Amino acid sequence: MIDRPRFSTTRMREGYEVADVDATVDRVMASFESDGTPGITPAEIEQLRFTPVRLGAGYDMGEVDAWLDTVTAELDRRGSGAARTTTPSPPMAEPKPTAGAPAPSSPAAVQEVGGRIDLKVTALAMIGVVALVLVLAYVL
């Protein structure tokens, strides 16, 4: 049995958009509470992509991914894995764009999903730039 998860929230480090994850959790829970007809398949779970957030509140990525792995294993155990190609579920709604987020077709959006830059590395780089500017200002 799959229980409704309670994910830790993140601040000042990358996490998944809360609304995107909550919508998926609702769909998964409805699937398990239904009459046995899967509302979501393991293949759909494998295709999920959540909007990453860095400075606002988000869900811990590791916890969400681990829960989705558990859900996928449970669906496979129940035999819905065989329905991956034979019984397509209705498509999930596209996530709403967040303010300041790049458009999905822009190169920045592709980079956002493909390459995850650690916030600590970014902060250290910014500190280095500020230190360099201060040194140059002092010398000149």
Side-chain angles (χ1 to χ4, degrees):
M1 182 65 175
I2 298 293
D3 294 322
R4 181 170 284 278
R6 300 188 103 192
F7 302 117
S8 302
T9 55
T10 62
R11 290 215 182 265
M12 300 306 292
R13 65 182 171 95
E14 195 169 44
Y16 288 138
E17 174 69 39
V18 171
D20 292 351
V21 174
D22 285 345
T24 299
V25 168
D26 290 343
R27 186 168 175 211
V28 167
M29 296 312 297
S31 178
F32 281 106
E33 294 165 358
S34 71
D35 61 353
T37 306
I40 192 167
T41 65
E44 287 176 300
I45 292 173
E46 291 170 10
Q47 296 296 318
L48 287 173
R49 299 294 178 262
F50 298 114
T51 305
V53 292
R54 290 198 174 111
L55 299 177
Y59 284 139
D60 182 271
M61 295 173 133
E63 291 177 18
V64 173
D65 292 342
W67 184 75
L68 289 172
D69 289 344
T70 302
V71 168
T72 300
E74 179 65 17
L75 288 171
D76 281 337
R77 186 187 71 75
R78 290 181 179 200
S80 65
R84 287 183 190 203
T85 57
T86 58
T87 311
S89 294
M92 293 184 63
E94 288 292 320
K96 296 177 184 172
T98 55
S105 61
S106 72
V110 174
Q111 183 181 10
E112 179 80 17
V113 173
R116 307 212 186 272
I117 299 174
D118 189 275
L119 188 59
K120 292 177 185 176
V121 172
T122 304
L124 287 173
M126 290 175 66
I127 290 170
V129 168
V130 169
L132 180 62
V133 167
L134 289 174
V135 167
L136 288 174
Y138 181 74
V139 171
L140 299 175

Short mmCIF file of all heavy atoms in Angstrom, two decimals, residues 62-118:
data_model
loop_
_atom_site.label_atom_id
_atom_site.label_comp_id
_atom_site.label_asym_id
_atom_site.label_seq_id
_atom_site.Cartn_x
_atom_site.Cartn_y
_atom_site.Cartn_z
N GLY A 62 15.34 14.44 -3.77
CA GLY A 62 15.64 13.05 -3.44
C GLY A 62 14.45 12.32 -2.85
O GLY A 62 14.18 11.16 -3.18
N GLU A 63 13.70 13.00 -1.97
CA GLU A 63 12.53 12.39 -1.36
C GLU A 63 11.44 12.12 -2.40
O GLU A 63 10.81 11.06 -2.39
CB GLU A 63 11.98 13.28 -0.25
CG GLU A 63 12.88 13.37 0.96
CD GLU A 63 12.34 14.32 2.02
OE1 GLU A 63 11.12 14.65 2.00
OE2 GLU A 63 13.13 14.75 2.89
N VAL A 64 11.21 13.09 -3.27
CA VAL A 64 10.19 12.93 -4.31
C VAL A 64 10.57 11.78 -5.24
O VAL A 64 9.76 10.90 -5.55
CB VAL A 64 9.97 14.23 -5.11
CG1 VAL A 64 9.05 14.01 -6.29
CG2 VAL A 64 9.44 15.34 -4.20
N ASP A 65 11.83 11.76 -5.69
CA ASP A 65 12.28 10.70 -6.60
C ASP A 65 12.19 9.33 -5.94
O ASP A 65 11.78 8.35 -6.59
CB ASP A 65 13.72 10.98 -7.06
CG ASP A 65 13.82 12.20 -7.97
OD1 ASP A 65 12.78 12.63 -8.52
OD2 ASP A 65 14.93 12.72 -8.12
N ALA A 66 12.55 9.23 -4.66
CA ALA A 66 12.48 7.95 -3.95
C ALA A 66 11.03 7.48 -3.84
O ALA A 66 10.74 6.29 -4.03
CB ALA A 66 13.12 8.07 -2.57
N TRP A 67 10.11 8.41 -3.54
CA TRP A 67 8.71 8.03 -3.45
C TRP A 67 8.17 7.56 -4.80
O TRP A 67 7.45 6.57 -4.87
CB TRP A 67 7.89 9.22 -2.92
CG TRP A 67 6.44 8.86 -2.71
CD1 TRP A 67 5.90 8.12 -1.69
CD2 TRP A 67 5.34 9.21 -3.55
NE1 TRP A 67 4.55 8.00 -1.85
CE2 TRP A 67 4.17 8.67 -2.98
CE3 TRP A 67 5.22 9.95 -4.72
CZ2 TRP A 67 2.91 8.83 -3.55
CZ3 TRP A 67 3.97 10.12 -5.28
CH2 TRP A 67 2.83 9.56 -4.70
N LEU A 68 8.55 8.26 -5.86
CA LEU A 68 8.11 7.85 -7.20
C LEU A 68 8.67 6.48 -7.57
O LEU A 68 8.00 5.69 -8.24
CB LEU A 68 8.48 8.90 -8.24
CG LEU A 68 7.69 10.21 -8.15
CD1 LEU A 68 8.27 11.24 -9.10
CD2 LEU A 68 6.21 9.97 -8.45
N ASP A 69 9.90 6.18 -7.15
CA ASP A 69 10.47 4.84 -7.38
C ASP A 69 9.63 3.78 -6.65
O ASP A 69 9.37 2.70 -7.19
CB ASP A 69 11.92 4.78 -6.90
CG ASP A 69 12.87 5.57 -7.79
OD1 ASP A 69 12.49 5.92 -8.93
OD2 ASP A 69 14.00 5.85 -7.33
N THR A 70 9.21 4.09 -5.43
CA THR A 70 8.37 3.17 -4.66
C THR A 70 7.03 2.96 -5.36
O THR A 70 6.53 1.84 -5.45
CB THR A 70 8.15 3.72 -3.23
OG1 THR A 70 9.42 3.90 -2.60
CG2 THR A 70 7.29 2.79 -2.40
N VAL A 71 6.44 4.04 -5.86
CA VAL A 71 5.17 3.96 -6.57
C VAL A 71 5.32 3.10 -7.82
O VAL A 71 4.49 2.22 -8.09
CB VAL A 71 4.65 5.37 -6.93
CG1 VAL A 71 3.49 5.30 -7.92
CG2 VAL A 71 4.25 6.13 -5.68
N THR A 72 6.38 3.33 -8.57
CA THR A 72 6.62 2.55 -9.80
C THR A 72 6.75 1.07 -9.47
O THR A 72 6.17 0.22 -10.16
CB THR A 72 7.89 3.06 -10.51
OG1 THR A 72 7.71 4.43 -10.84
CG2 THR A 72 8.16 2.26 -11.78
N ALA A 73 7.50 0.74 -8.42
CA ALA A 73 7.68 -0.65 -8.02
C ALA A 73 6.34 -1.28 -7.61
O ALA A 73 6.05 -2.43 -7.96
CB ALA A 73 8.69 -0.75 -6.88
N GLU A 74 5.52 -0.52 -6.89
CA GLU A 74 4.21 -1.03 -6.46
C GLU A 74 3.29 -1.24 -7.66
O GLU A 74 2.59 -2.25 -7.74
CB GLU A 74 3.57 -0.07 -5.46
CG GLU A 74 2.20 -0.50 -4.97
CD GLU A 74 2.20 -1.79 -4.15
OE1 GLU A 74 3.26 -2.22 -3.67
OE2 GLU A 74 1.11 -2.37 -3.99
N LEU A 75 3.30 -0.32 -8.62
CA LEU A 75 2.49 -0.50 -9.83
C LEU A 75 2.95 -1.72 -10.61
O LEU A 75 2.13 -2.50 -11.12
CB LEU A 75 2.55 0.76 -10.70
CG LEU A 75 1.78 1.97 -10.18
CD1 LEU A 75 2.10 3.20 -11.02
CD2 LEU A 75 0.29 1.71 -10.16
N ASP A 76 4.27 -1.91 -10.72
CA ASP A 76 4.79 -3.08 -11.40
C ASP A 76 4.39 -4.36 -10.67
O ASP A 76 4.03 -5.36 -11.28
CB ASP A 76 6.32 -3.01 -11.52
CG ASP A 76 6.79 -2.10 -12.65
OD1 ASP A 76 6.00 -1.88 -13.60
OD2 ASP A 76 7.93 -1.62 -12.59
N ARG A 77 4.44 -4.32 -9.34
CA ARG A 77 4.07 -5.49 -8.54
C ARG A 77 2.60 -5.84 -8.75
O ARG A 77 2.23 -7.01 -8.83
CB ARG A 77 4.32 -5.21 -7.06
CG ARG A 77 4.11 -6.42 -6.15
CD ARG A 77 4.21 -6.07 -4.69
NE ARG A 77 3.08 -5.29 -4.21
CZ ARG A 77 1.86 -5.77 -3.97
NH1 ARG A 77 1.58 -7.03 -4.19
NH2 ARG A 77 0.91 -4.99 -3.52
N ARG A 78 1.76 -4.84 -8.89
CA ARG A 78 0.33 -5.07 -9.10
C ARG A 78 0.00 -5.48 -10.53
O ARG A 78 -1.14 -5.75 -10.85
CB ARG A 78 -0.46 -3.81 -8.76
CG ARG A 78 -0.46 -3.50 -7.28
CD ARG A 78 -1.25 -2.27 -6.99
NE ARG A 78 -1.27 -2.01 -5.57
CZ ARG A 78 -2.17 -1.25 -4.97
NH1 ARG A 78 -3.12 -0.68 -5.68
NH2 ARG A 78 -2.12 -1.06 -3.68
N GLY A 79 1.01 -5.45 -11.39
CA GLY A 79 0.79 -5.90 -12.75
C GLY A 79 0.42 -4.83 -13.73
O GLY A 79 0.18 -5.12 -14.90
N SER A 80 0.36 -3.58 -13.30
CA SER A 80 0.00 -2.53 -14.25
C SER A 80 1.16 -2.19 -15.16
O SER A 80 1.00 -1.48 -16.13
CB SER A 80 -0.47 -1.27 -13.52
OG SER A 80 0.60 -0.72 -12.77
N GLY A 81 2.35 -2.74 -14.86
CA GLY A 81 3.49 -2.51 -15.73
C GLY A 81 3.28 -3.11 -17.10
O GLY A 81 3.79 -2.62 -18.11
N ALA A 82 2.47 -4.17 -17.18
CA ALA A 82 2.18 -4.78 -18.47
C ALA A 82 1.33 -3.87 -19.33
O ALA A 82 1.33 -3.97 -20.54
CB ALA A 82 1.45 -6.10 -18.26
N ALA A 83 0.63 -2.95 -18.67
CA ALA A 83 -0.24 -2.04 -19.41
C ALA A 83 0.49 -0.80 -19.93
O ALA A 83 -0.11 0.12 -20.40
CB ALA A 83 -1.39 -1.59 -18.50
N ARG A 84 1.81 -0.82 -19.85
CA ARG A 84 2.58 0.35 -20.27
C ARG A 84 2.32 0.73 -21.72
O ARG A 84 2.23 1.88 -22.04
CB ARG A 84 4.08 0.11 -20.09
CG ARG A 84 4.51 0.13 -18.66
CD ARG A 84 5.99 -0.04 -18.55
NE ARG A 84 6.34 -0.25 -17.17
CZ ARG A 84 7.51 -0.02 -16.66
NH1 ARG A 84 8.48 0.43 -17.42
NH2 ARG A 84 7.77 -0.23 -15.40
N THR A 85 2.21 -0.25 -22.59
CA THR A 85 2.02 0.08 -24.00
C THR A 85 0.60 -0.20 -24.47
O THR A 85 0.21 0.27 -25.51
CB THR A 85 3.01 -0.72 -24.88
OG1 THR A 85 2.82 -2.11 -24.62
CG2 THR A 85 4.43 -0.33 -24.59
N THR A 86 -0.18 -0.97 -23.71
CA THR A 86 -1.49 -1.35 -24.19
C THR A 86 -2.61 -0.44 -23.70
O THR A 86 -3.61 -0.29 -24.36
CB THR A 86 -1.82 -2.80 -23.77
OG1 THR A 86 -1.75 -2.89 -22.35
CG2 THR A 86 -0.86 -3.77 -24.41
N THR A 87 -2.47 0.19 -22.54
CA THR A 87 -3.53 1.01 -21.99
C THR A 87 -3.00 2.39 -21.65
O THR A 87 -2.56 2.62 -20.53
CB THR A 87 -4.11 0.37 -20.71
OG1 THR A 87 -4.40 -0.99 -20.97
CG2 THR A 87 -5.35 1.09 -20.25
N PRO A 88 -3.03 3.31 -22.59
CA PRO A 88 -2.53 4.65 -22.27
C PRO A 88 -3.51 5.39 -21.36
O PRO A 88 -4.71 5.27 -21.51
CB PRO A 88 -2.42 5.33 -23.63
CG PRO A 88 -3.38 4.59 -24.50
CD PRO A 88 -3.44 3.18 -23.97
N SER A 89 -2.98 6.12 -20.42
CA SER A 89 -3.79 6.96 -19.54
C SER A 89 -3.93 8.34 -20.17
O SER A 89 -3.15 8.71 -21.04
CB SER A 89 -3.11 7.10 -18.18
OG SER A 89 -3.09 5.85 -17.55
N PRO A 90 -4.91 9.11 -19.70
CA PRO A 90 -5.03 10.46 -20.25
C PRO A 90 -3.78 11.26 -19.93
O PRO A 90 -3.18 11.07 -18.89
CB PRO A 90 -6.27 11.02 -19.54
CG PRO A 90 -6.56 10.12 -18.42
CD PRO A 90 -5.91 8.81 -18.71
N PRO A 91 -3.38 12.14 -20.84
CA PRO A 91 -2.16 12.91 -20.60
C PRO A 91 -2.31 13.85 -19.41
O PRO A 91 -3.39 14.34 -19.14
CB PRO A 91 -1.96 13.70 -21.91
CG PRO A 91 -3.31 13.74 -22.52
CD PRO A 91 -4.03 12.50 -22.09
N MET A 92 -1.19 14.06 -18.73
CA MET A 92 -1.18 14.98 -17.60
C MET A 92 -1.21 16.40 -18.13
O MET A 92 -0.68 16.69 -19.19
CB MET A 92 0.06 14.77 -16.73
CG MET A 92 0.06 13.43 -16.05
SD MET A 92 1.45 13.24 -14.95
CE MET A 92 1.14 14.52 -13.77
N ALA A 93 -1.80 17.29 -17.37
CA ALA A 93 -1.84 18.70 -17.75
C ALA A 93 -0.44 19.28 -17.69
O ALA A 93 0.37 18.91 -16.85
CB ALA A 93 -2.76 19.47 -16.81
N GLU A 94 -0.16 20.18 -18.61
CA GLU A 94 1.13 20.86 -18.61
C GLU A 94 1.23 21.73 -17.36
O GLU A 94 0.26 22.38 -16.99
CB GLU A 94 1.26 21.75 -19.86
CG GLU A 94 1.44 20.96 -21.13
CD GLU A 94 2.78 20.26 -21.18
OE1 GLU A 94 3.79 20.85 -20.76
OE2 GLU A 94 2.81 19.11 -21.63
N PRO A 95 2.39 21.76 -16.70
CA PRO A 95 2.52 22.63 -15.54
C PRO A 95 2.44 24.10 -15.95
O PRO A 95 2.88 24.47 -17.03
CB PRO A 95 3.90 22.29 -14.97
CG PRO A 95 4.62 21.61 -16.08
CD PRO A 95 3.58 21.01 -16.97
N LYS A 96 1.86 24.89 -15.06
CA LYS A 96 1.75 26.32 -15.33
C LYS A 96 3.13 26.95 -15.18
O LYS A 96 3.86 26.63 -14.25
CB LYS A 96 0.79 26.97 -14.35
CG LYS A 96 -0.62 26.45 -14.49
CD LYS A 96 -1.51 27.06 -13.44
CE LYS A 96 -2.90 26.45 -13.53
NZ LYS A 96 -3.75 26.85 -12.43
N PRO A 97 3.51 27.84 -16.11
CA PRO A 97 4.82 28.49 -15.98
C PRO A 97 4.84 29.39 -14.75
O PRO A 97 3.86 30.04 -14.44
CB PRO A 97 4.98 29.29 -17.27
CG PRO A 97 3.59 29.41 -17.83
CD PRO A 97 2.79 28.27 -17.29
N THR A 98 5.97 29.40 -14.06
CA THR A 98 6.12 30.26 -12.89
C THR A 98 6.68 31.60 -13.33
O THR A 98 7.32 31.71 -14.37
CB THR A 98 7.06 29.62 -11.86
OG1 THR A 98 8.30 29.32 -12.51
CG2 THR A 98 6.48 28.34 -11.31
N ALA A 99 6.42 32.61 -12.53
CA ALA A 99 6.90 33.95 -12.85
C ALA A 99 8.41 33.95 -12.94
O ALA A 99 9.10 33.42 -12.09
CB ALA A 99 6.43 34.94 -11.79
N GLY A 100 8.93 34.52 -14.00
CA GLY A 100 10.37 34.61 -14.18
C GLY A 100 11.00 33.36 -14.77
O GLY A 100 12.19 33.32 -15.02
N ALA A 101 10.20 32.32 -14.97
CA ALA A 101 10.75 31.09 -15.53
C ALA A 101 10.89 31.25 -17.04
O ALA A 101 10.08 31.91 -17.69
CB ALA A 101 9.83 29.91 -15.23
N PRO A 102 11.93 30.65 -17.63
CA PRO A 102 12.09 30.76 -19.08
C PRO A 102 10.99 30.01 -19.81
O PRO A 102 10.42 29.06 -19.29
CB PRO A 102 13.46 30.13 -19.33
CG PRO A 102 13.71 29.26 -18.16
CD PRO A 102 12.98 29.88 -17.00
N ALA A 103 10.69 30.43 -21.02
CA ALA A 103 9.70 29.74 -21.84
C ALA A 103 10.18 28.34 -22.13
O ALA A 103 11.37 28.10 -22.29
CB ALA A 103 9.48 30.51 -23.14
N PRO A 104 9.27 27.34 -22.20
CA PRO A 104 9.68 25.96 -22.41
C PRO A 104 10.50 25.73 -23.67
O PRO A 104 11.29 24.82 -23.73
CB PRO A 104 8.36 25.19 -22.50
CG PRO A 104 7.37 26.06 -21.80
CD PRO A 104 7.83 27.47 -22.00
N SER A 105 10.33 26.56 -24.70
CA SER A 105 11.07 26.33 -25.94
C SER A 105 12.40 27.06 -25.97
O SER A 105 13.15 26.92 -26.92
CB SER A 105 10.21 26.77 -27.13
OG SER A 105 9.93 28.16 -27.01
N SER A 106 12.69 27.86 -24.95
CA SER A 106 13.93 28.62 -24.97
C SER A 106 15.11 27.74 -24.57
O SER A 106 14.95 26.77 -23.85
CB SER A 106 13.84 29.82 -24.03
OG SER A 106 13.88 29.39 -22.69
N PRO A 107 16.33 28.04 -25.05
CA PRO A 107 17.50 27.26 -24.67
C PRO A 107 17.73 27.26 -23.17
O PRO A 107 18.21 26.28 -22.63
CB PRO A 107 18.65 27.95 -25.40
CG PRO A 107 18.02 28.71 -26.51
CD PRO A 107 16.64 29.07 -26.03
N ALA A 108 17.37 28.34 -22.48
CA ALA A 108 17.56 28.39 -21.03
C ALA A 108 16.70 27.35 -20.33
O ALA A 108 17.10 26.76 -19.34
CB ALA A 108 17.24 29.78 -20.50
N ALA A 109 15.50 27.09 -20.87
CA ALA A 109 14.62 26.08 -20.27
C ALA A 109 15.23 24.70 -20.42
O ALA A 109 15.16 23.88 -19.51
CB ALA A 109 13.24 26.13 -20.93
N VAL A 110 15.83 24.43 -21.56
CA VAL A 110 16.47 23.13 -21.77
C VAL A 110 17.64 22.96 -20.83
O VAL A 110 17.81 21.91 -20.21
CB VAL A 110 16.91 22.99 -23.25
CG1 VAL A 110 17.70 21.71 -23.45
CG2 VAL A 110 15.72 23.04 -24.17
N GLN A 111 18.41 23.99 -20.66
CA GLN A 111 19.55 23.93 -19.76
C GLN A 111 19.07 23.77 -18.32
O GLN A 111 19.67 23.06 -17.53
CB GLN A 111 20.40 25.18 -19.87
CG GLN A 111 21.65 25.13 -18.99
CD GLN A 111 22.47 26.40 -19.11
OE1 GLN A 111 22.04 27.38 -19.69
NE2 GLN A 111 23.64 26.36 -18.56
N GLU A 112 17.96 24.40 -17.96
CA GLU A 112 17.43 24.32 -16.61
C GLU A 112 17.13 22.88 -16.22
O GLU A 112 17.45 22.45 -15.13
CB GLU A 112 16.15 25.16 -16.55
CG GLU A 112 15.46 25.15 -15.22
CD GLU A 112 16.10 26.09 -14.23
OE1 GLU A 112 16.87 26.98 -14.63
OE2 GLU A 112 15.83 25.94 -13.04
N VAL A 113 16.53 22.11 -17.12
CA VAL A 113 16.20 20.73 -16.83
C VAL A 113 17.42 19.83 -16.98
O VAL A 113 17.65 18.94 -16.18
CB VAL A 113 15.06 20.26 -17.77
CG1 VAL A 113 14.81 18.78 -17.59
CG2 VAL A 113 13.81 21.05 -17.49
N GLY A 114 18.25 20.09 -17.99
CA GLY A 114 19.36 19.19 -18.28
C GLY A 114 20.53 19.32 -17.34
O GLY A 114 21.09 18.33 -16.90
N GLY A 115 20.96 20.52 -17.00
CA GLY A 115 22.13 20.69 -16.16
C GLY A 115 21.76 21.36 -14.85
O GLY A 115 21.27 22.46 -14.82
N ARG A 116 21.97 20.69 -13.77
CA ARG A 116 21.62 21.22 -12.46
C ARG A 116 22.88 21.81 -11.82
O ARG A 116 23.81 21.10 -11.49
CB ARG A 116 21.04 20.13 -11.60
CG ARG A 116 19.89 19.42 -12.30
CD ARG A 116 18.89 18.96 -11.30
NE ARG A 116 17.86 18.16 -11.91
CZ ARG A 116 16.75 18.66 -12.43
NH1 ARG A 116 16.54 19.93 -12.45
NH2 ARG A 116 15.85 17.87 -12.95
N ILE A 117 22.87 23.13 -11.67
CA ILE A 117 24.02 23.81 -11.09
C ILE A 117 23.81 23.91 -9.59
O ILE A 117 22.80 24.39 -9.12
CB ILE A 117 24.20 25.22 -11.70
CG1 ILE A 117 24.45 25.09 -13.20
CG2 ILE A 117 25.34 25.96 -11.03
CD1 ILE A 117 24.49 26.41 -13.92
N ASP A 118 24.78 23.47 -8.86
CA ASP A 118 24.70 23.49 -7.41
C ASP A 118 24.73 24.93 -6.92
O ASP A 118 25.55 25.74 -7.34
CB ASP A 118 25.88 22.70 -6.83
CG ASP A 118 25.73 22.51 -5.36
OD1 ASP A 118 26.13 23.41 -4.62
OD2 ASP A 118 25.20 21.46 -4.95
#
